Amino acid sequence: LIPEIYYRRNIISKTDFGLKQLGIPFIGGITLIDVKRSLLKINKFSISADLGFSYSTLNSEQLGNWTSTAIIPALFMGSDRLYIGGKYNQLKFDGEIELFRKIGLSGSIGFPSVVLGMTLGKNLRIQPEVNIYLTADEKYSYIFSLGVTHYKKR
């Protein structure tokens, strides 16, 4: 279980900009920026598309030293209070990752994930999420997120 924090703000109508941080930047963390666009809204049900980009580093005697970049397209659906989404995480890395070396991976990896979340609040929202990742060895890993989203009053 790995915690993640993020901040999201709407920049124009139907479009949000997000910044996420997992771990400590440039030491062993992952920084992600993304743009989310609302595609369809019917009553309280909506569908949104998201495109994220990340940069990460790891400097560890146990796990190895590496840097990576990723592109993460996603699709979310749900209400103003509960949502579910699917992501595809395409990761490219440089350096040696002991865990990846043990299972025969190098250079690039892609894996799906599912996001389950809820929203508390109106203009300033608290958003707890759980991200469930299917890894290369067909096991699951989880990342719990806690986000803050700020919506400008219109």
Side-chain angles (χ1 to χ4, degrees):
L1 302 175
I2 302 171
E4 174 183 69
I5 58 171
Y6 66 91
Y7 177 78
R8 177 172 297 286
R9 180 158 183 164
N10 69 319
I11 51 177
I12 58 174
S13 179
K14 300 183 182 182
T15 304
D16 298 349
F17 172 78
L19 177 66
K20 293 185 180 187
Q21 181 61 46
L22 173 68
I24 301 169
F26 308 108
I27 294 173
I30 298 171
T31 302
L32 173 96
I33 59 170
D34 71 310
V35 176
K36 184 182 288 182
R37 175 83 174 157
S38 178
L39 302 176
L40 174 69
K41 186 160 187 159
I42 301 172
N43 294 324
K44 293 191 178 201
F45 177 81
S46 63
I47 297 175
S48 298
D50 186 286
L51 184 58
F53 301 93
S54 74
Y55 173 81
S56 58
T57 62
L58 179 66
N59 299 306
S60 166
E61 290 181 19
Q62 294 83 18
L63 299 174
N65 299 313
W66 61 287
T67 59
S68 73
T69 55
I71 184 167
I72 307 161
L75 189 64
F76 295 92
M77 65 182 83
S79 71
D80 289 342
R81 297 291 170 219
L82 296 171
Y83 56 92
I84 186 169
K87 297 182 185 179
Y88 188 77
N89 306 271
Q90 184 62 46
L91 174 70
K92 181 182 182 318
F93 56 90
D94 298 311
E96 179 139 335
I97 305 170
E98 183 64 22
L99 174 64
F100 287 0
R101 189 184 61 73
K102 285 182 179 178
I103 58 176
L105 297 174
S106 63
S108 182
I109 181 174
F111 51 93
S113 63
V114 173
V115 178
L116 304 170
M118 65 185 300
T119 301
L120 307 167
K122 190 171 180 177
N123 293 327
L124 185 63
R125 299 177 179 183
I126 304 298
Q127 293 180 265
E129 287 183 348
V130 62
N131 293 269
I132 306 164
Y133 294 90
L134 177 61
T135 59
D137 57 359
E138 296 185 4
K139 293 185 180 178
Y140 296 96
S141 62
Y142 305 89
I143 295 179
F144 288 95
S145 302
L146 184 59
V148 175
T149 303
H150 181 247
Y151 283 90
K152 293 183 268 185
K153 293 180 183 178
R154 300 206 187 276

